[in-house]
Amino acid sequence: MLVKKIQTKCDVLVIGSGAAGLTFALAVKEMNPNLKVYVVERTDTTGGCTTYSAGGIWLPGHSLMENRTKDSDIARDYVKRIYPEIDEPSLDGFIDDAPRLFDFFLSKNVKFETMSTYPDYYQEIEGATTGRSVFPLIYTGSKSVRSIVRKTPIFFVPATIVELMSWGLHRIMKWNKTLLAKRKLLGHLTMGRALIAFLLDACFKAGVDVSLNSSVDEIIIQNGEFAGAIVNGQKISAPVGMLACGGFSSDPEMMKHIDAMRPVLNSAPEDCDSGGGGLRLGLKAGLKVGNPYCWWVPIMKLYKEDETKPGPDLWAHHTTLQDRCWPGGIMVNGNGNRFTNEAACYNTVGGIVAQGKDPALDHVWLIWGDFYVKNYIRGITSPLQPAKNYMVKAKSIEELAEKTGLPKGNLRETLARWNSMAANEKDLDFHRGESLYDQFMGDQFREGHPNIAAVEAPFQAVRLHGGNLGTKMGPVTDHLGRVEREDGKKVSGLYAAGNAAASFFGNYYPGAGATLGQGCVFAYRAAKDVCGKS
């Protein structure tokens, strides 16, 4: 239940109310109902950054797949090929428990659907397939639960990701607006908010206590054992603790730990990702921390370079998840040259822009031709809404070069090269559009190629920056989610999961929902260890 007064003693203290924290709390309570489980949340609503996501969870071998047992083996090899240095005991544990977690969710009335055509992100790697990601259905339950789930901005429409992809993200006129208006009126929740509501509902029914406006100042470790935490200046004693307080992408000081060649723009909301997350608590407690990366994404600013940011990061920074993938646009570096497959997964492209050592990546531009402008959304604009003043508009290559500062000769050659390849719908330089992932993220409704079309005047362009969907750095954990100190010894009773922990995926992103996938699975594995079920 929701409690107003902070209790000073419990059996299990969970710091953070995102998907990983609630999964851990629910699983512990299910495996040992006699334990007193207490979730403390820093803000006045639950859900953290999970609520701003699509709510997808990458769970290889889940029961909605046709051959779940075989898929688990294939998925293990797939991840190993992506990241050969991955911790194998952790990988084995993830693969083993991903389907078990999904079945556990279903048993607790956490409802999902899958999209059988949704591809993994590295389709060029053997073992990649489709349908491993699951997405929450619509939550229509308890109003009291819905009332304490974090609210999202007005531009978050109450649709499921499956609906949006089937309607076409860029085909706004084809959306079922009557259905969306009905859901908004009734207060039904979708995507990440639905996932949190399902989990929170199940936690309340299981007897988990949740306290809002409860900020953790530090965790207490005595004689190598977790002993509790200081919450709102008061000590809460507990023999078991879970760090599930998310990342730190809105914390400028903590972001200095991230391995990047240039400033990284943030797209996570400041209200839930500014407390320093697991990294702050881990550093303060002398825990071993690692994996100084982000869940990368290229970002465009929704304001001019010489203007002051007009609002919070969530409003002012647009993540180019699909903008790069639709036909009729290309990306170029400061030399006016293409440098990658624009339609590759956002983690790959965003990582190049943020971490690439080439100085030309200091100035990256996304350039759209007339075909793109007439058919697709550009940031927050569409064919029904003219380009904003932060976008460069040019009637010729010469004008485009002058306004962007790009070398005119190189830019002319790059566009001529691209357009000659586009005529044959074949990218000979970076193989754009050959991957199933590229095609899925492109215009699947177009009669021509879903990713490739000529880029011809008049033009529009916008600067792209390295950005993040959240951070991946935090306390290092083992295959059961147990954290270590700097001296390599485990802290008895202390666990970490989600973006509060160092991601075992390293600098990679296997598929849609890998963020929540690794967070929730290791939260579940930690719960098993707490209850002697591992």
Side-chain angles (χ1 to χ4, degrees):
M1 65 178 180
L2 191 65
V3 295
K4 293 185 178 180
K5 186 177 180 180
I6 295 179
Q7 303 174 43
T8 59
K9 188 176 182 179
C10 61
D11 297 310
V12 179
L13 179 63
V14 185
I15 303 171
S17 66
L22 294 181
T23 296
F24 176 76
L26 179 61
V28 166
K29 199 66 177 175
E30 171 70 14
M31 295 176 199
N32 191 339
N34 294 323
L35 293 178
K36 185 171 184 58
V37 181
Y38 192 28
V39 178
V40 291
E41 165 58 44
R42 181 172 60 90
T43 67
D44 59 1
T45 51
T46 60
C49 284
T50 302
T51 56
Y52 298 90
S53 73
I57 311 181
W58 195 70
L59 295 175
H62 64 77
S63 59
L64 298 182
M65 300 191 76
E66 290 186 5
N67 193 333
R68 60 187 300 184
T69 302
K70 184 177 180 181
D71 183 68
S72 293
D73 294 334
I74 296 171
R76 185 196 184 285
D77 293 340
Y78 165 66
V79 175
K80 179 68 175 174
R81 290 186 183 102
I82 294 171
Y83 182 23
E85 299 80 20
I86 196 168
D87 180 68
E88 295 210 41
S90 294
L91 176 56
D92 290 340
F94 174 81
I95 294 297
D96 287 345
D97 274 333
R100 294 181 185 134
L101 172 64
F102 185 69
D103 291 342
F104 171 68
F105 278 154
L106 296 183
S107 74
K108 306 308 291 183
N109 202 38
V110 183
K111 300 178 180 179
F112 293 94
E113 62 182 337
T114 188
M115 192 171 186
S116 61
T117 57
Y118 210 117
D120 293 333
Y121 286 175
Y122 304 97
Q123 286 293 311
E124 70 279 8
I125 301 295
E126 185 181 349
T129 187
T130 62
R132 286 176 174 148
S133 305
V134 297
F135 302 93
L137 289 173
I138 302 156
Y139 182 81
T140 62
S142 168
K143 288 185 179 180
S144 61
V145 167
R146 285 183 269 156
S147 69
I148 59 171
V149 174
R150 188 181 304 277
K151 292 178 173 55
T152 50
I154 191 171
F155 54 81
F156 280 66
V157 296
T160 68
I161 193 67
V162 175
E163 288 171 338
L164 287 178
M165 296 304 289
S166 63
W167 295 342
L169 189 62
H170 62 287
R171 305 198 313 162
I172 297 177
M173 298 305 293
K174 300 291 184 180
W175 292 5
N176 189 334
K177 297 182 180 61
T178 301
L179 177 64
L180 297 178
K182 181 179 178 181
R183 286 180 187 158
K184 190 175 182 63
L185 179 65
L186 294 173
H188 293 166
L189 306 185
T190 60
M191 298 199 194
R193 298 186 73 209
L195 177 60
I196 291 299
F198 278 123
L199 289 171
L200 191 62
D201 196 332
C203 280
F204 284 160
K205 289 174 180 175
V208 174
D209 288 338
V210 177
S211 175
L212 304 177
N213 299 304
S214 299
S215 180
V216 176
D217 303 311
E218 63 178 295
I219 56 175
I220 302 169
I221 298 174
Q222 297 175 345
N223 300 318
E225 298 179 350
F226 178 77
I230 304 300
V231 184
N232 291 346
Q234 179 179 351
K235 180 180 178 180
I236 296 181
S237 298
V240 174
M242 164 56 78
L243 300 180
C245 42
F248 52 89
S249 59
S250 296
D251 188 318
E253 283 303 310
M254 291 294 100
M255 282 298 289
K256 292 177 181 178
H257 294 277
I258 290 298
D259 180 14
M261 292 296 296
R262 45 196 64 85
V264 178
L265 297 186
N266 179 42
S267 66
E270 289 93 326
D271 56 350
C272 68
D273 224 22
S274 58
L279 181 63
R280 179 181 66 84
L281 292 176
L283 289 171
K284 194 170 184 179
L287 303 180
K288 182 180 179 180
V289 300
N291 205 53
Y293 308 118
C294 296
W295 303 95
W296 305 111
V297 64
I299 282 179
M300 68 171 73
K301 295 179 179 179
L302 301 179
Y303 55 100
K304 286 184 177 180
E305 292 291 325
D306 58 355
E307 291 179 338
T308 302
K309 185 164 68 102
D313 291 343
L314 191 65
W315 288 83
H317 296 159
H318 173 71
T319 56
T320 58
L321 299 179
Q322 285 190 279
D323 312 64
R324 304 164 287 104
C325 307
W326 290 319
I330 59 170
M331 288 170 57
V332 299
N333 60 22
N335 293 330
N337 300 320
R338 289 180 68 222
F339 57 92
T340 190
N341 168 14
E342 296 90 342
C345 88
Y346 44 87
N347 189 70
T348 298
V349 180
I352 292 172
V353 178
Q355 296 185 293
K357 295 182 179 180
D358 185 349
L361 294 172
D362 292 345
H363 294 87
V364 172
W365 288 86
L366 177 56
I367 300 172
W368 299 299
D370 192 47
F371 175 83
Y372 190 111
V373 171
K374 289 179 178 176
N375 288 279
Y376 304 111
I377 297 170
R378 300 169 316 289
I380 58 170
T381 72
S382 73
L384 304 178
Q385 186 179 19
K388 301 298 182 182
N389 60 6
Y390 60 83
M391 293 183 181
V392 169
K393 289 179 279 187
K395 295 180 180 179
S396 66
I397 293 177
E398 289 74 17
E399 185 181 7
L400 179 63
E402 180 182 352
K403 289 185 174 181
T404 59
L406 296 170
K408 180 171 57 178
N410 286 358
L411 186 58
R412 181 183 292 110
E413 290 180 11
T414 296
L415 287 168
R417 168 71 174 168
W418 172 258
N419 289 339
S420 68
M421 294 189 296
N424 297 312
E425 297 187 334
K426 188 76 172 177
D427 177 9
L428 301 176
D429 297 334
F430 297 102
H431 308 287
R432 174 174 169 179
E434 295 179 16
S435 163
L436 182 62
Y437 173 85
D438 295 8
Q439 296 166 17
F440 181 83
M441 297 297 282
D443 185 355
Q444 301 178 59
F445 302 90
R446 185 183 179 220
E447 290 186 6
H449 198 289
N451 305 105
I452 296 176
V455 180
E456 299 173 325
F459 304 103
Q460 291 183 14
V462 68
R463 277 280 304 277
L464 286 188
H465 306 264
N468 75 86
L469 295 167
T471 53
K472 306 176 78 172
M473 186 180 186
V476 173
T477 59
D478 68 1
H479 64 291
L480 296 173
R482 300 175 297 187
V483 304
E484 299 178 3
R485 298 187 308 192
E486 280 288 359
D487 60 11
K489 295 180 180 179
K490 300 286 189 302
V491 178
S492 178
L494 182 59
Y495 302 82
N499 284 358
S503 173
F504 93 108
F505 284 137
N507 203 16
Y508 299 93
Y509 206 142
T515 308
L516 293 180
Q518 52 103 33
C520 292
V521 169
F522 280 96
Y524 179 71
R525 287 180 61 76
K528 288 171 62 178
D529 189 60
V530 169
C531 299
K533 306 289 186 180
S534 57

